Amino acid sequence: MLNSLANHGYLPRTGQDIDAETLRNALQSNSFDPGAFSDIILLALSTSTTGNSSTFNLADTAKHNIIEHDGSLSRDDFFHGGNDLNLNPAIWGQVFSHFSNDTISIETAAKARLDRVANAKETNPEYSQPSGDTGSLAETAFYLMLFGDRVDGNARTEWVRIFFEQERFPFTEGYTKKEPVITIDEIEAMIGKISAVAE
């Protein structure tokens, strides 16, 4: 999400020296109530290596278990010592292999997430999610709500693929921003639906 916001110019394209107000405005401009991200904004600022505690760089957010987390749908776990900033084609391929229809239901998305988390736990002896898998649950909720219905999911598969693989919003493919913005209550409701799906 943050990379996509930078790629479209809602955040500095350099990914550097981002302040809280700029991030709030970028979220507000792209379908989310920035109040829903207050904790994440504070976490992002806590990672700062800019020399200014009121700004951060996108690369700073890769610090383990701050915003970066184990069991990501598209990034490798920190434990493996690889690149946890950029798309990992093998990990994303495993997740995307679940998406065989034109749209992704809540059940399909939830099972893809569970499969990814199970794989991460099998391959990472230090797997941890301090907030109880909230990171990967939120990832799934965000794409379902952005590219589908904010209540029922059914995200367009091609739009989700573009978002993850090209780190951009699929505007040219027909995507339009959500109005009104998605709230924390709606996000929590979608997370609850995802959590309710078992293998």
Side-chain angles (χ1 to χ4, degrees):
M1 170 78 84
L2 295 178
N3 287 346
S4 295
L5 291 172
N7 288 338
H8 285 284
Y10 294 103
L11 296 177
R13 292 183 187 274
T14 61
Q16 297 181 332
D17 296 310
I18 301 165
D19 61 42
E21 189 60 26
T22 299
L23 181 51
R24 287 190 195 98
N25 289 338
L27 291 165
Q28 179 81 40
S29 297
N30 287 278
S31 305
F32 284 105
D33 176 358
F37 290 81
S38 296
D39 290 345
I40 291 175
I41 292 170
L42 290 174
L43 286 171
L45 290 171
S46 77
T47 69
S48 179
T49 61
T50 65
N52 178 350
S53 62
S54 65
T55 65
F56 69 97
N57 299 327
L58 284 184
D60 297 338
T61 63
K63 291 179 181 174
H64 187 47
N65 278 339
I66 302 295
I67 294 176
E68 178 277 337
H69 59 85
D70 289 340
S72 166
L73 300 178
S74 62
R75 269 64 174 166
D76 203 358
D77 287 2
F78 177 81
F79 171 81
H80 298 297
N83 181 353
D84 56 2
L85 273 175
N86 300 112
L87 180 84
N88 181 296
I91 288 171
W92 171 241
Q94 174 200 2
V95 172
F96 195 77
S97 69
H98 290 266
F99 306 152
S100 56
N101 296 320
D102 291 340
T103 59
I104 305 167
S105 68
I106 292 171
E107 181 177 8
T108 297
K111 288 184 176 180
R113 187 197 77 82
L114 287 168
D115 187 35
R116 167 62 187 129
V117 168
N119 178 264
K121 288 178 177 178
E122 288 172 8
T123 60
N124 177 359
E126 296 181 6
Y127 180 91
S128 66
Q129 279 271 354
S131 300
D133 284 344
T134 298
S136 65
L137 285 165
E139 267 185 305
T140 299
F142 294 160
Y143 79 71
L144 283 171
M145 300 176 83
L146 271 178
F147 305 121
D149 182 86
R150 67 177 74 208
V151 175
D152 298 322
N154 296 315
R156 292 197 190 183
T157 303
E158 181 64 8
W159 291 359
V160 173
R161 185 190 65 77
I162 289 167
F163 184 68
F164 277 89
E165 295 179 13
Q166 299 179 26
E167 295 185 337
R168 67 177 177 87
F169 296 98
F171 292 120
T172 57
E173 290 78 14
Y175 165 74
T176 56
K177 299 171 187 177
K178 301 289 185 184
E179 293 183 6
V181 293
I182 297 167
T183 67
I184 185 63
D185 289 342
E186 290 174 311
I187 295 168
E188 289 177 349
M190 181 61 76
I191 286 175
K193 292 174 184 177
I194 297 164
S195 298
V197 177
E199 287 276 16

